[in-house]
Amino acid sequence: MATKPTIIALEEHYLDPEVKQFGGPGAGPEIVQRLDDLSVLRLKEMDEAGIDFQVLSHSIPGLQGVDATTGVPLARRVNDRLHEAVQRHPDRFAAFAALPTADPRAAAEELERTVTRLGFKGAMINGMTASVFHDDERFWPIYERAQALDVPIYIHPTLPHPAVTEAYYKDYVQKHPGILRAAWGFTVETATQGIRFVLSGVFDTYPGLKIILGHMGEGLPFYLWRISHGLRGSMSEKSFRDVFCKHFWITTSGFFSDPALLCCVMEMGIDRILFSVDYPFAENLPGTEWTKTLPLCVEDKEKLLSGNAKRLLKL
Amino acid sequence: MATKPYIIALEEHYFDPEVKQHTMGQEPPHAQRILERLDDVGVLRLKEMDEAGVDLQVLSHANPGLQKLDADTAVRLARGANDRLYETVRAHPDRFAAFAAIPTPEPKAAADELERTVTKLGFKGALVNGLTNGLFLDDKRFWPIFERAQALDVPLYMHPALPHPAVVEAYYKDYVEQYPSLLRAAWGFTVETATQGLRLVLSGVFDAYPGLKIILGHLGEGLPFYLWRISMGLARDGRGGKSFRDTFCEHFYITTSGFFSDPALLCCMMEMGIDRILFSVDYPFVDNPPGTKWTETLPLCSEDKEKLLSGNARRLLKINN
């Protein structure tokens, strides 16, 4: 009988008790209870689903909604507390840092501190900072530092820009709140962020920069042909596809679909696709059960479940 | 040796000379090469169809069409434009069919014009470009159009246009100058038209008109890829009833216009089945030969390829050529 494969999941969220005061994810009590827990309940639900290891990150909106004065000292406390949680179960948890992006230089410093002193594996950024996309040059000190430290930045969604909500979603928000979130608004804004990173030239300046997108790359792998074709007149040297497939990694968080995964495998190759759940917004068990039925050879499944994460995050 | 398969393409655009006068200035001008081809519904177009083996084009007015005009102007122009399009089809009935341009700024008149063009002129449905003066088409004021489309049993093709200005401002403006297509085929078109598809499902229009058929180009603007995640994200709202996937796969058809990708097509086939996927080019914004050449290399059995290239279009549009 085959032994259970090692499973690492890396878009797994929690809530810091102090950050919570500045706004939570707008989730129900069952979710909030799990976001608050970094021990018994979480470990039990990991065990039940066969998840060996979670890379923890702060849930939306995180520090992206906090101003610079408050955010810089707060980030230190948040990451120190997260470090303690990891220290209590070092064989089960690792961490992505929360960064005070409202002060990009301080955010770069905090990334360095958490990686070099606390052993963090990179950072997660939720949505925009004060309605500015993170490809804006003011944020580039963060990417310079990420490259120097050789750690990835995980770009995670949050509630969409208010002007876009007004123009595209508001008629349906009351009846179908998911339209702003996992069903659509999250996807559109985060995919747009991914495209903007490529157009910004940040990968020319920092050729070692690594970006992770969740939710099957927010759909960008599906569109690679069309986006590359659309941009071919204005991207003469490297195609959109070339840049995307060199600098992006994607996870399966909250998106357990065979057709979508196979499309991503065809476009990006298995080496850039990493299993994740999106706990506690998605449950662990449907995620790990799904991987059992995937039409992948043992070697590729091992890459998806742990091998790629070990290599990318140096676990 | 195999005979050449019959090929129908149904997102193929032209410009009406009178409508053009009223929509110039709504958008930056197209390149001369594109303009020349939009203006041509005769020699050049037929030559380029022949060179690529496209047998039949279902013609539709290029973006922005009648959607961004005031109601009076749109109603007045629609009749003339559709009558001229009818003459074009009559000149080459074995090579052309037509989707109507409908004056959506006046929904009741748009429904009437849809009926006139289908019943009197033999049109196959209608193509609508983007928002109508800032409104998505799922707004209830437009439902008379859907009611009539169901009664006539013709599909409505939802085509993109330049995105809502507030979204351009929030998402795209920093890169528009250097990358103008960010607003168009590369991304902005996709996001807005996929959002339109999603909103149609949420609006309940398919409960009201269970026979309604919608066509989305550009491989369904990506919605097939997202079916699992959208269905899950909406199920969390706990409203029960049919899943997003069920409604989408019952009422939507998609075309390959401007999107000749094996991985994307195969993903769509797995999600929707081959019977709902129709070949198209997006001429003249995309050239015909890359489209037809691509289909030659597709890993499909000849029966499925025949469905993609013409069979599904014949059935959906009731084409008897």
Side-chain angles (χ1 to χ4, degrees), chain B residues 123-141:
Chain B
F123 283 16
K124 304 302 178 188
L127 181 140
V128 176
N129 291 295
L131 306 187
T132 291
N133 295 320
L135 290 173
F136 280 101
L137 225 60
D138 48 276
D139 190 291
K140 280 221 174 157
R141 77 191 77 183

Side-chain angles (χ1 to χ4, degrees), chain B residues 22-75:
Chain B
H22 290 263
T23 57
M24 271 191 315
Q26 287 186 2
E27 289 199 9
H30 293 295
Q32 187 54 41
R33 183 177 180 278
I34 302 284
L35 272 182
E36 183 192 346
R37 283 165 173 75
L38 285 169
D39 286 340
D40 180 286
V41 285
V43 177
L44 175 60
R45 182 175 295 253
L46 290 167
K47 176 173 159 283
E48 294 191 344
M49 289 166 65
D50 290 340
E51 285 167 1
V54 175
D55 295 283
L56 186 85
Q57 278 191 347
V58 185
L59 298 167
S60 53
H61 200 284
N63 170 38
L66 302 176
Q67 274 60 64
K68 287 167 187 63
L69 300 169
D70 67 77
D72 289 347
T73 308
V75 172

